[in-house]
Amino acid sequence: MSPQRVRMIEDMILAGFAPGTQKLYVQAVRRLATHYRRSPDQLSEEEVRAFLLDLRQRGVARGTFQTCHYGLRFFYQHTLGRAWGLFGEKKDRLATAKAAA
């Protein structure tokens, strides 16, 4: 098992994730790595974005896509500490409405 996978699992345990969620998130990272045939820590934000876009275009179920997206977001944000715009949080709609007014 790679040090990154061990670290991700430890991070999920600390975050209180259920074993089923941990399995799905690790599976999402593994699918990404298999898709590019490279370690996920070597991939760029654009490559991850293209992978997620490909999932959407292939018509995977919404739940499958969301689980994959959340798993990758957890891996890149929490385990690797990358602050990518791809995984940015939704803006506060109330604050946006006030700013527009």
Coordinates of all heavy atoms in Angstrom, one line a residue:
M1 N 0.8 -1.2 0.0 CA 0.0 0.0 0.0 C 0.9 1.2 0.0 O 1.8 1.3 0.8 CB -0.9 0.0 1.2 CG -2.0 1.0 1.2 SD -3.2 0.9 2.5 CE -3.7 -0.7 2.6
S2 N 0.6 2.2 -0.9 CA 1.4 3.4 -1.0 C 1.3 4.3 0.3 O 0.2 4.3 0.9 CB 1.0 4.2 -2.2 OG -0.2 4.9 -2.0
P3 N 2.3 5.1 0.5 CA 2.2 6.0 1.7 C 1.1 7.0 1.5 O 0.4 7.4 2.6 CB 3.6 6.7 1.6 CG 4.5 5.9 0.8 CD 3.6 5.1 -0.1
Q4 N 0.7 7.4 0.3 CA -0.4 8.3 0.1 C -1.7 7.7 0.5 O -2.6 8.3 1.1 CB -0.4 8.8 -1.3 CG 0.8 9.6 -1.7 CD 0.9 9.7 -3.2 OE1 0.3 9.0 -4.0 NE2 1.7 10.7 -3.7
R5 N -1.9 6.4 0.1 CA -3.1 5.7 0.4 C -3.3 5.6 1.9 O -4.3 5.8 2.5 CB -3.2 4.4 -0.3 CG -4.5 3.7 0.0 CD -4.6 2.3 -0.7 NE -4.7 2.5 -2.1 CZ -5.0 1.6 -2.9 NH1 -5.3 0.4 -2.5 NH2 -5.1 1.8 -4.2
V6 N -2.2 5.2 2.6 CA -2.2 5.0 4.0 C -2.5 6.4 4.7 O -3.4 6.4 5.6 CB -0.8 4.5 4.5 CG1 -0.7 4.6 6.1 CG2 -0.6 3.1 4.0
R7 N -1.9 7.4 4.2 CA -2.2 8.8 4.8 C -3.6 9.2 4.6 O -4.3 9.7 5.4 CB -1.2 9.8 4.1 CG -1.5 11.2 4.6 CD -1.2 11.4 6.1 NE -1.5 12.7 6.5 CZ -0.6 13.7 6.8 NH1 0.7 13.4 6.8 NH2 -1.0 14.8 7.2
M8 N -4.2 8.9 3.4 CA -5.6 9.3 3.1 C -6.5 8.5 4.0 O -7.5 9.1 4.6 CB -5.9 9.0 1.6 CG -7.3 9.3 1.2 SD -7.7 8.9 -0.5 CE -9.4 9.4 -0.6
I9 N -6.3 7.2 4.2 CA -7.1 6.4 5.1 C -7.0 6.9 6.5 O -8.0 7.1 7.2 CB -6.7 4.9 5.0 CG1 -7.1 4.4 3.6 CG2 -7.4 4.1 6.1 CD1 -6.5 3.0 3.3
E10 N -5.8 7.3 7.0 CA -5.7 7.9 8.3 C -6.4 9.2 8.4 O -7.1 9.4 9.4 CB -4.2 8.1 8.6 CG -3.4 6.8 8.8 CD -1.9 7.0 8.9 OE1 -1.4 8.1 8.6 OE2 -1.2 6.0 9.3
D11 N -6.3 10.0 7.4 CA -7.1 11.3 7.4 C -8.6 11.1 7.5 O -9.3 11.8 8.2 CB -6.7 12.1 6.1 CG -5.3 12.7 6.1 OD1 -4.6 12.7 7.2 OD2 -4.8 13.1 5.0
M12 N -9.1 10.1 6.8 CA -10.5 9.8 6.8 C -10.9 9.2 8.1 O -12.0 9.6 8.6 CB -10.9 8.8 5.7 CG -10.8 9.5 4.3 SD -11.5 8.4 3.0 CE -10.2 7.1 2.8
I13 N -10.1 8.4 8.8 CA -10.4 7.9 10.1 C -10.5 9.1 11.1 O -11.4 9.2 11.9 CB -9.3 6.9 10.6 CG1 -9.5 5.6 9.7 CG2 -9.5 6.6 12.1 CD1 -8.3 4.6 9.9
L14 N -9.5 10.0 11.0 CA -9.5 11.2 11.9 C -10.7 12.1 11.6 O -11.3 12.7 12.6 CB -8.2 12.0 11.6 CG -6.9 11.4 12.2 CD1 -5.7 12.3 11.7 CD2 -7.0 11.3 13.7
A15 N -11.2 12.1 10.4 CA -12.4 12.9 10.1 C -13.7 12.2 10.4 O -14.8 12.8 10.4 CB -12.4 13.2 8.6
G16 N -13.6 10.9 10.9 CA -14.8 10.2 11.3 C -15.6 9.6 10.2 O -16.8 9.3 10.4
F17 N -15.0 9.3 9.0 CA -15.7 8.7 7.9 C -16.0 7.2 8.2 O -15.2 6.5 8.7 CB -14.9 8.8 6.6 CG -14.8 10.2 6.1 CD1 -15.3 11.3 6.7 CD2 -14.2 10.4 4.9 CE1 -15.2 12.6 6.2 CE2 -14.1 11.7 4.3 CZ -14.6 12.8 5.0
A18 N -17.1 6.8 7.8 CA -17.5 5.4 7.9 C -16.6 4.5 7.0 O -16.2 5.0 5.9 CB -19.0 5.2 7.5
P19 N -16.4 3.3 7.3 CA -15.6 2.4 6.5 C -16.1 2.3 5.0 O -15.3 2.3 4.1 CB -15.7 1.0 7.2 CG -16.0 1.4 8.6 CD -16.9 2.6 8.6
G20 N -17.4 2.3 4.8 CA -17.9 2.3 3.4 C -17.5 3.5 2.6 O -17.2 3.4 1.5
T21 N -17.6 4.7 3.3 CA -17.2 5.9 2.6 C -15.7 5.9 2.3 O -15.2 6.3 1.2 CB -17.5 7.1 3.5 OG1 -18.9 7.1 3.8 CG2 -17.1 8.4 2.9
Q22 N -14.9 5.4 3.3 CA -13.4 5.3 3.1 C -13.1 4.4 1.8 O -12.3 4.8 1.0 CB -12.8 4.7 4.3 CG -12.8 5.6 5.5 CD -12.2 4.9 6.7 OE1 -11.3 4.1 6.6 NE2 -12.8 5.2 7.9
K23 N -13.8 3.3 1.7 CA -13.6 2.4 0.6 C -14.0 3.1 -0.7 O -13.2 3.0 -1.7 CB -14.5 1.2 0.8 CG -14.3 0.1 -0.3 CD -15.2 -1.1 0.0 CE -15.1 -2.1 -1.2 NZ -16.0 -3.2 -1.0
L24 N -15.1 3.8 -0.8 CA -15.5 4.5 -2.0 C -14.5 5.6 -2.4 O -14.2 5.8 -3.6 CB -16.9 5.0 -1.9 CG -18.0 4.0 -1.8 CD1 -19.3 4.7 -1.5 CD2 -18.1 3.3 -3.1
Y25 N -14.0 6.3 -1.4 CA -13.1 7.4 -1.7 C -11.7 6.9 -2.2 O -11.2 7.5 -3.1 CB -12.9 8.3 -0.5 CG -14.0 9.3 -0.2 CD1 -15.3 9.1 -0.8 CD2 -13.9 10.3 0.7 CE1 -16.3 10.0 -0.5 CE2 -14.9 11.3 0.9 CZ -16.1 11.1 0.3 OH -17.1 12.0 0.6
V26 N -11.3 5.8 -1.6 CA -10.0 5.2 -2.0 C -10.2 4.7 -3.5 O -9.3 4.8 -4.3 CB -9.5 4.1 -1.1 CG1 -8.4 3.3 -1.7 CG2 -9.1 4.8 0.3
Q27 N -11.3 4.1 -3.7 CA -11.6 3.6 -5.0 C -11.7 4.7 -6.1 O -11.2 4.5 -7.2 CB -13.0 2.9 -5.0 CG -13.4 2.2 -6.3 CD -14.7 1.5 -6.1 OE1 -15.7 2.1 -5.7 NE2 -14.8 0.2 -6.5
A28 N -12.2 5.9 -5.7 CA -12.2 7.0 -6.7 C -10.8 7.4 -7.1 O -10.5 7.7 -8.2 CB -12.9 8.2 -6.0
V29 N -9.9 7.5 -6.1 CA -8.5 7.9 -6.4 C -7.8 6.8 -7.2 O -7.1 7.1 -8.1 CB -7.7 8.1 -5.0 CG1 -6.3 8.5 -5.3 CG2 -8.4 9.3 -4.3
R30 N -8.1 5.5 -6.9 CA -7.5 4.4 -7.7 C -8.0 4.5 -9.1 O -7.2 4.3 -10.0 CB -7.9 3.1 -7.0 CG -7.2 1.9 -7.7 CD -7.4 0.6 -7.0 NE -8.8 0.3 -6.8 CZ -9.4 0.1 -5.7 NH1 -8.8 0.2 -4.5 NH2 -10.7 -0.2 -5.6
R31 N -9.3 4.8 -9.4 CA -9.8 4.9 -10.7 C -9.1 6.0 -11.5 O -8.7 5.9 -12.7 CB -11.3 5.2 -10.7 CG -12.1 4.0 -10.4 CD -13.6 4.4 -10.6 NE -14.4 3.4 -10.1 CZ -15.7 3.5 -9.7 NH1 -16.3 4.7 -9.8 NH2 -16.4 2.5 -9.3
L32 N -8.9 7.1 -10.8 CA -8.1 8.2 -11.4 C -6.7 7.8 -11.8 O -6.3 8.1 -13.0 CB -8.1 9.5 -10.5 CG -7.3 10.7 -11.0 CD1 -8.0 11.3 -12.2 CD2 -7.1 11.7 -9.8
A33 N -6.0 7.2 -10.9 CA -4.7 6.8 -11.2 C -4.6 5.8 -12.3 O -3.7 5.8 -13.2 CB -4.0 6.2 -9.9
T34 N -5.6 4.9 -12.3 CA -5.6 3.9 -13.4 C -5.9 4.5 -14.7 O -5.3 4.1 -15.8 CB -6.7 2.8 -13.1 OG1 -6.4 2.2 -11.8 CG2 -6.8 1.8 -14.2
H35 N -6.8 5.5 -14.7 CA -7.1 6.2 -16.0 C -5.9 6.8 -16.6 O -5.7 6.7 -17.8 CB -8.2 7.3 -15.7 CG -8.6 8.1 -16.8 ND1 -9.5 7.6 -17.8 CD2 -8.2 9.3 -17.2 CE1 -9.7 8.6 -18.7 NE2 -8.9 9.6 -18.4
Y36 N -5.1 7.5 -15.8 CA -3.9 8.1 -16.3 C -2.6 7.3 -16.3 O -1.6 7.7 -16.8 CB -3.7 9.5 -15.6 CG -4.6 10.5 -16.1 CD1 -5.7 11.0 -15.3 CD2 -4.5 11.1 -17.3 CE1 -6.5 11.9 -15.7 CE2 -5.3 12.1 -17.7 CZ -6.4 12.5 -16.9 OH -7.2 13.5 -17.3
R37 N -2.7 6.1 -15.6 CA -1.5 5.3 -15.4 C -0.4 6.0 -14.8 O 0.8 5.8 -15.2 CB -1.1 4.6 -16.8 CG -2.1 3.7 -17.3 CD -1.7 3.1 -18.6 NE -2.7 2.2 -19.1 CZ -3.0 2.2 -20.4 NH1 -2.3 2.9 -21.3 NH2 -4.0 1.4 -20.8
R38 N -0.7 6.8 -13.8 CA 0.3 7.6 -13.1 C -0.2 7.8 -11.6 O -1.4 7.7 -11.3 CB 0.5 9.0 -13.7 CG 1.2 9.0 -15.0 CD 1.8 10.3 -15.5 NE 1.3 11.5 -14.9 CZ 0.6 12.4 -15.6 NH1 0.3 12.2 -16.9 NH2 0.2 13.5 -15.1
S39 N 0.8 8.0 -10.8 CA 0.4 8.3 -9.4 C -0.5 9.5 -9.3 O -0.2 10.5 -10.0 CB 1.7 8.5 -8.6 OG 1.4 8.8 -7.2
P40 N -1.5 9.5 -8.5 CA -2.4 10.7 -8.5 C -1.7 12.0 -8.0 O -2.2 13.1 -8.3 CB -3.5 10.3 -7.5 CG -3.0 9.1 -6.8 CD -2.0 8.5 -7.6
D41 N -0.7 11.9 -7.2 CA 0.0 13.1 -6.8 C 0.8 13.8 -7.9 O 1.2 14.9 -7.8 CB 0.9 12.8 -5.6 CG 2.1 12.0 -5.9 OD1 2.0 11.1 -6.8 OD2 3.2 12.2 -5.4
Q42 N 1.0 13.1 -9.0 CA 1.7 13.7 -10.2 C 0.7 14.3 -11.2 O 1.2 14.8 -12.2 CB 2.5 12.6 -10.9 CG 3.6 12.0 -10.0 CD 4.3 10.8 -10.7 OE1 3.9 10.4 -11.7 NE2 5.3 10.4 -10.0
L43 N -0.6 14.2 -10.9 CA -1.5 14.8 -11.9 C -1.8 16.2 -11.6 O -1.8 16.7 -10.5 CB -2.8 14.0 -11.8 CG -2.7 12.5 -12.1 CD1 -4.0 11.8 -11.9 CD2 -2.3 12.3 -13.6
S44 N -2.1 16.9 -12.7 CA -2.4 18.4 -12.6 C -3.9 18.6 -12.3 O -4.7 17.6 -12.5 CB -2.1 19.1 -13.9 OG -2.9 18.7 -14.9
E45 N -4.3 19.8 -12.0 CA -5.7 20.1 -11.7 C -6.5 19.9 -13.0 O -7.6 19.4 -13.0 CB -5.8 21.5 -11.3 CG -7.2 22.0 -11.0 CD -7.3 23.4 -10.5 OE1 -6.3 24.1 -10.4 OE2 -8.4 23.8 -10.1
E46 N -5.9 20.3 -14.2 CA -6.6 20.1 -15.4 C -6.8 18.6 -15.8 O -7.9 18.3 -16.4 CB -5.8 20.8 -16.6 CG -6.0 22.3 -16.6 CD -7.5 22.7 -16.7 OE1 -8.2 22.2 -17.6 OE2 -7.9 23.5 -15.9
E47 N -5.9 17.8 -15.4 CA -6.1 16.3 -15.7 C -7.2 15.8 -14.8 O -8.1 15.0 -15.3 CB -4.8 15.6 -15.4 CG -3.7 15.8 -16.5 CD -2.4 15.3 -16.2 OE1 -1.9 15.5 -15.0 OE2 -1.8 14.6 -17.0
V48 N -7.3 16.2 -13.6 CA -8.4 15.7 -12.7 C -9.7 16.3 -13.2 O -10.7 15.6 -13.3 CB -8.1 16.2 -11.3 CG1 -9.3 15.8 -10.4 CG2 -6.8 15.5 -10.8
R49 N -9.7 17.5 -13.7 CA -10.9 18.1 -14.2 C -11.4 17.4 -15.5 O -12.6 17.1 -15.6 CB -10.7 19.6 -14.6 CG -11.9 20.3 -15.1 CD -11.5 21.8 -15.5 NE -12.6 22.5 -15.9 CZ -13.1 22.4 -17.2 NH1 -12.6 21.6 -18.0 NH2 -14.2 23.1 -17.5
A50 N -10.5 17.0 -16.3 CA -10.8 16.3 -17.5 C -11.4 14.9 -17.2 O -12.3 14.4 -17.9 CB -9.6 16.2 -18.4
F51 N -10.8 14.3 -16.2 CA -11.3 13.0 -15.7 C -12.8 13.1 -15.2 O -13.6 12.3 -15.6 CB -10.4 12.4 -14.6 CG -10.9 11.2 -14.0 CD1 -10.8 9.9 -14.6 CD2 -11.5 11.2 -12.7 CE1 -11.3 8.8 -14.1 CE2 -12.0 10.0 -12.2 CZ -11.9 8.8 -12.8
L52 N -13.1 14.1 -14.4 CA -14.4 14.3 -13.9 C -15.4 14.6 -15.1 O -16.5 14.2 -15.1 CB -14.4 15.4 -12.9 CG -13.8 15.0 -11.5 CD1 -13.6 16.3 -10.6 CD2 -14.5 13.9 -10.8
L53 N -14.9 15.5 -16.0 CA -15.7 15.8 -17.1 C -16.1 14.6 -18.0 O -17.2 14.4 -18.4 CB -15.0 16.9 -18.0 CG -15.8 17.4 -19.2 CD1 -17.1 18.1 -18.7 CD2 -14.9 18.4 -19.9
D54 N -15.1 13.7 -18.1 CA -15.3 12.5 -18.9 C -16.3 11.6 -18.2 O -17.2 11.0 -18.9 CB -13.9 11.7 -19.0 CG -14.1 10.4 -19.8 OD1 -14.5 10.5 -21.0 OD2 -13.8 9.3 -19.2
L55 N -16.3 11.5 -16.9 CA -17.3 10.8 -16.1 C -18.7 11.3 -16.5 O -19.6 10.5 -16.7 CB -17.1 10.8 -14.6 CG -15.9 10.0 -14.1 CD1 -15.8 10.3 -12.6 CD2 -16.0 8.6 -14.4
R56 N -18.9 12.6 -16.4 CA -20.1 13.2 -16.7 C -20.6 12.9 -18.1 O -21.7 12.6 -18.4 CB -20.1 14.8 -16.6 CG -20.2 15.2 -15.2 CD -21.6 15.2 -14.7 NE -21.7 16.1 -13.6 CZ -22.6 15.9 -12.7 NH1 -23.5 15.0 -12.8 NH2 -22.7 16.7 -11.6
Q57 N -19.7 13.0 -19.1 CA -20.0 12.8 -20.5 C -20.3 11.4 -20.8 O -21.1 11.1 -21.7 CB -18.9 13.3 -21.4 CG -18.7 14.8 -21.4 CD -17.5 15.3 -22.1 OE1 -16.5 14.6 -22.3 NE2 -17.6 16.6 -22.5
R58 N -19.8 10.5 -20.0 CA -20.1 9.0 -20.2 C -21.4 8.7 -19.6 O -21.9 7.6 -19.7 CB -19.0 8.2 -19.6 CG -17.7 8.1 -20.5 CD -16.7 7.1 -20.0 NE -16.2 7.4 -18.8 CZ -16.0 6.5 -17.8 NH1 -16.4 5.3 -17.9 NH2 -15.5 6.9 -16.6
G59 N -22.0 9.6 -18.8 CA -23.3 9.4 -18.2 C -23.4 8.6 -17.0 O -24.4 7.9 -16.8
V60 N -22.3 8.6 -16.2 CA -22.3 7.8 -14.9 C -23.4 8.4 -14.0 O -23.8 9.6 -14.2 CB -21.0 7.8 -14.2 CG1 -19.9 7.2 -15.0 CG2 -20.6 9.2 -13.7
A61 N -24.0 7.6 -13.2 CA -25.0 8.0 -12.3 C -24.6 9.1 -11.4 O -23.4 9.3 -11.1 CB -25.5 6.8 -11.4
R62 N -25.5 10.0 -11.1 CA -25.2 11.2 -10.3 C -24.5 10.8 -9.0 O -23.5 11.4 -8.6 CB -26.5 11.9 -10.0 CG -26.3 13.2 -9.1 CD -27.6 13.9 -8.8 NE -27.3 14.9 -7.9 CZ -27.7 16.2 -8.1 NH1 -28.2 16.5 -9.2 NH2 -27.4 17.1 -7.2
G63 N -25.0 9.8 -8.3 CA -24.4 9.4 -7.0 C -22.9 8.9 -7.2 O -22.1 9.2 -6.4
T64 N -22.7 8.2 -8.3 CA -21.4 7.7 -8.6 C -20.4 8.9 -8.9 O -19.3 8.9 -8.4 CB -21.4 6.8 -9.9 OG1 -22.3 5.7 -9.6 CG2 -20.0 6.3 -10.2
F65 N -20.9 9.8 -9.6 CA -20.1 11.0 -9.9 C -19.8 11.8 -8.6 O -18.6 12.2 -8.4 CB -20.8 11.9 -10.9 CG -20.0 13.2 -11.1 CD1 -19.0 13.2 -12.0 CD2 -20.3 14.4 -10.4 CE1 -18.2 14.4 -12.2 CE2 -19.6 15.5 -10.6 CZ -18.5 15.5 -11.5
Q66 N -20.8 12.0 -7.8 CA -20.6 12.8 -6.6 C -19.6 12.1 -5.6 O -18.7 12.8 -5.1 CB -21.9 13.0 -5.9 CG -22.8 14.1 -6.6 CD -24.1 14.3 -5.9 OE1 -24.6 13.4 -5.3 NE2 -24.6 15.5 -6.1
T67 N -19.7 10.8 -5.5 CA -18.8 10.1 -4.6 C -17.4 10.2 -5.1 O -16.5 10.4 -4.4 CB -19.2 8.6 -4.5 OG1 -20.6 8.5 -4.1 CG2 -18.3 7.8 -3.6
C68 N -17.2 10.1 -6.4 CA -15.9 10.2 -7.0 C -15.4 11.6 -6.8 O -14.2 11.8 -6.4 CB -16.0 9.9 -8.5 SG -14.4 9.8 -9.3
H69 N -16.2 12.6 -7.1 CA -15.8 14.0 -6.9 C -15.4 14.3 -5.5 O -14.3 14.9 -5.2 CB -16.9 14.9 -7.3 CG -16.6 16.4 -7.3 ND1 -16.9 17.1 -6.2 CD2 -16.0 17.2 -8.2 CE1 -16.5 18.4 -6.5 NE2 -16.0 18.4 -7.7
Y70 N -16.2 13.9 -4.5 CA -15.9 14.1 -3.1 C -14.7 13.4 -2.7 O -13.9 13.9 -1.9 CB -17.1 13.7 -2.2 CG -18.3 14.5 -2.5 CD1 -19.6 14.0 -2.2 CD2 -18.3 15.8 -2.9 CE1 -20.7 14.7 -2.4 CE2 -19.4 16.6 -3.2 CZ -20.7 16.0 -2.9 OH -21.8 16.7 -3.1
G71 N -14.5 12.1 -3.2 CA -13.3 11.4 -2.8 C -12.0 12.1 -3.3 O -11.0 12.2 -2.6
L72 N -12.1 12.5 -4.6 CA -10.9 13.2 -5.1 C -10.7 14.5 -4.4 O -9.5 14.9 -4.1 CB -11.1 13.4 -6.6 CG -11.1 12.1 -7.5 CD1 -11.4 12.5 -8.9 CD2 -9.9 11.3 -7.3
R73 N -11.7 15.2 -4.1 CA -11.6 16.5 -3.4 C -10.9 16.3 -2.0 O -10.0 17.0 -1.6 CB -13.0 17.2 -3.2 CG -12.9 18.5 -2.4 CD -14.2 19.2 -2.3 NE -15.1 18.5 -1.5 CZ -16.4 18.8 -1.2 NH1 -16.9 19.9 -1.8 NH2 -17.1 18.1 -0.4
F74 N -11.4 15.2 -1.3 CA -10.8 14.9 0.0 C -9.3 14.6 -0.2 O -8.5 15.1 0.6 CB -11.5 13.7 0.7 CG -11.0 13.5 2.0 CD1 -11.5 14.1 3.1 CD2 -9.9 12.6 2.3 CE1 -11.0 13.9 4.4 CE2 -9.4 12.4 3.5 CZ -10.0 13.0 4.6
F75 N -9.0 13.8 -1.1 CA -7.6 13.4 -1.4 C -6.7 14.6 -1.7 O -5.6 14.8 -1.0 CB -7.5 12.4 -2.5 CG -6.1 12.0 -2.8 CD1 -5.3 11.2 -2.0 CD2 -5.5 12.5 -4.0 CE1 -4.0 10.9 -2.3 CE2 -4.2 12.1 -4.3 CZ -3.4 11.3 -3.5
Y76 N -7.1 15.5 -2.6 CA -6.3 16.6 -3.0 C -6.3 17.7 -1.9 O -5.2 18.3 -1.7 CB -6.7 17.1 -4.4 CG -6.2 16.2 -5.5 CD1 -7.0 15.3 -6.1 CD2 -4.8 16.2 -5.8 CE1 -6.5 14.4 -7.1 CE2 -4.3 15.4 -6.8 CZ -5.2 14.5 -7.4 OH -4.7 13.6 -8.4
Q77 N -7.4 18.0 -1.3 CA -7.4 19.1 -0.3 C -6.8 18.7 1.0 O -6.0 19.4 1.6 CB -8.8 19.6 -0.1 CG -9.3 20.4 -1.3 CD -10.7 21.0 -1.0 OE1 -11.5 20.5 -0.2 NE2 -11.0 22.1 -1.6
H78 N -7.3 17.5 1.5 CA -6.9 17.2 2.9 C -5.6 16.4 3.0 O -4.8 16.7 3.8 CB -8.0 16.4 3.6 CG -9.3 17.2 3.8 ND1 -9.4 18.1 4.8 CD2 -10.4 17.3 3.0 CE1 -10.6 18.7 4.7 NE2 -11.2 18.2 3.6
T79 N -5.5 15.4 2.1 CA -4.3 14.5 2.2 C -3.1 15.2 1.5 O -2.0 15.2 2.1 CB -4.6 13.2 1.5 OG1 -5.7 12.6 2.1 CG2 -3.4 12.3 1.6
L80 N -3.3 15.8 0.4 CA -2.1 16.5 -0.3 C -2.0 18.0 0.0 O -1.0 18.6 -0.3 CB -2.2 16.3 -1.8 CG -2.1 14.8 -2.3 CD1 -2.1 14.8 -3.8 CD2 -0.8 14.1 -1.7
G81 N -3.1 18.6 0.6 CA -3.0 20.0 0.9 C -3.0 20.9 -0.3 O -2.5 22.0 -0.2
R82 N -3.7 20.5 -1.4 CA -3.7 21.4 -2.6 C -5.0 22.2 -2.6 O -6.1 21.6 -2.5 CB -3.6 20.5 -3.8 CG -2.2 19.9 -3.9 CD -2.1 19.1 -5.2 NE -0.8 18.4 -5.2 CZ -0.5 17.5 -6.1 NH1 -1.3 17.2 -7.1 NH2 0.7 16.8 -6.0
A83 N -4.9 23.5 -2.8 CA -6.1 24.4 -2.8 C -6.4 24.7 -4.2 O -6.1 25.7 -4.8 CB -5.8 25.6 -2.0
W84 N -7.0 23.7 -4.9 CA -7.4 23.9 -6.3 C -8.8 24.5 -6.4 O -9.7 24.2 -5.7 CB -7.4 22.5 -7.0 CG -6.1 21.9 -7.3 CD1 -4.9 22.5 -7.1 CD2 -5.8 20.6 -7.8 NE1 -3.9 21.7 -7.5 CE2 -4.4 20.5 -7.9 CE3 -6.6 19.5 -8.1 CZ2 -3.8 19.3 -8.4 CZ3 -6.0 18.4 -8.6 CH2 -4.6 18.3 -8.7
G85 N -8.9 25.4 -7.4 CA -10.2 26.0 -7.7 C -11.2 25.0 -8.1 O -12.4 25.2 -7.9
L86 N -10.8 23.9 -8.7 CA -11.7 22.8 -9.1 C -12.6 22.3 -8.0 O -13.7 22.0 -8.1 CB -10.9 21.6 -9.7 CG -11.7 20.4 -10.0 CD1 -12.6 20.7 -11.2 CD2 -10.7 19.3 -10.4
F87 N -12.0 22.4 -6.8 CA -12.8 21.9 -5.6 C -13.2 23.0 -4.7 O -13.5 22.8 -3.5 CB -11.9 20.9 -4.8 CG -11.5 19.7 -5.6 CD1 -10.2 19.4 -5.8 CD2 -12.5 18.8 -6.2 CE1 -9.8 18.3 -6.6 CE2 -12.1 17.7 -7.0 CZ -10.8 17.4 -7.1
G88 N -13.3 24.2 -5.2 CA -13.7 25.3 -4.4 C -15.1 25.2 -3.9 O -16.0 24.5 -4.5
E89 N -15.4 25.8 -2.8 CA -16.7 25.7 -2.2 C -17.7 26.6 -2.9 O -17.2 27.6 -3.5 CB -16.6 26.1 -0.7 CG -15.7 25.1 0.1 CD -16.2 23.7 0.1 OE1 -17.4 23.5 0.2 OE2 -15.4 22.8 0.0
K90 N -18.9 26.3 -2.8 CA -19.9 27.2 -3.4 C -19.9 28.5 -2.7 O -19.8 28.5 -1.4 CB -21.3 26.5 -3.3 CG -21.5 25.3 -4.2 CD -22.9 24.8 -4.1 CE -23.0 23.6 -5.0 NZ -24.4 23.0 -4.9
K91 N -20.2 29.5 -3.4 CA -20.2 30.9 -2.8 C -21.5 31.0 -2.0 O -22.5 30.5 -2.4 CB -20.1 31.9 -3.9 CG -18.7 31.9 -4.6 CD -18.7 33.0 -5.6 CE -17.3 33.0 -6.3 NZ -17.2 34.0 -7.3
D92 N -21.4 31.8 -1.0 CA -22.6 32.1 -0.2 C -23.6 32.9 -1.0 O -23.3 34.1 -1.4 CB -22.1 32.9 1.1 CG -23.3 33.3 2.0 OD1 -24.4 32.9 1.7 OD2 -23.1 34.0 2.9
R93 N -24.7 32.4 -1.3 CA -25.6 33.0 -2.2 C -26.2 34.3 -1.7 O -26.4 35.3 -2.4 CB -26.8 32.1 -2.6 CG -26.3 30.9 -3.4 CD -27.5 30.0 -3.8 NE -26.9 28.9 -4.5 CZ -27.6 27.8 -4.8 NH1 -28.9 27.7 -4.4 NH2 -27.1 26.8 -5.5
L94 N -26.4 34.4 -0.4 CA -26.9 35.6 0.2 C -25.9 36.8 0.1 O -26.2 37.9 -0.3 CB -27.2 35.4 1.7 CG -27.8 36.6 2.5 CD1 -29.1 37.1 1.8 CD2 -28.0 36.2 3.9
A95 N -24.6 36.5 0.3 CA -23.5 37.5 0.2 C -23.4 37.9 -1.3 O -23.2 39.1 -1.6 CB -22.2 36.9 0.7
T96 N -23.6 37.0 -2.2 CA -23.5 37.3 -3.6 C -24.7 38.2 -4.0 O -24.5 39.1 -4.8 CB -23.5 36.0 -4.5 OG1 -22.4 35.2 -4.1 CG2 -23.4 36.3 -6.0
A97 N -25.9 37.9 -3.5 CA -27.0 38.7 -3.8 C -26.9 40.1 -3.3 O -27.3 41.1 -3.9 CB -28.3 38.0 -3.3
K98 N -26.4 40.2 -2.1 CA -26.1 41.6 -1.5 C -25.1 42.4 -2.3 O -25.3 43.6 -2.5 CB -25.7 41.4 0.0 CG -26.8 41.0 0.9 CD -26.2 40.9 2.4 CE -27.3 40.5 3.3 NZ -26.8 40.4 4.7
A99 N -24.1 41.7 -2.7 CA -23.0 42.4 -3.5 C -23.6 42.9 -4.8 O -23.2 43.9 -5.3 CB -21.8 41.5 -3.7
A100 N -24.5 42.1 -5.4 CA -25.1 42.5 -6.7 C -26.1 43.7 -6.5 O -26.3 44.4 -7.5 CB -25.8 41.3 -7.3
A101 N -26.6 43.8 -5.3 CA -27.6 44.9 -5.1 C -27.0 46.2 -4.9 O -26.3 46.9 -5.2 CB -28.5 44.6 -3.9

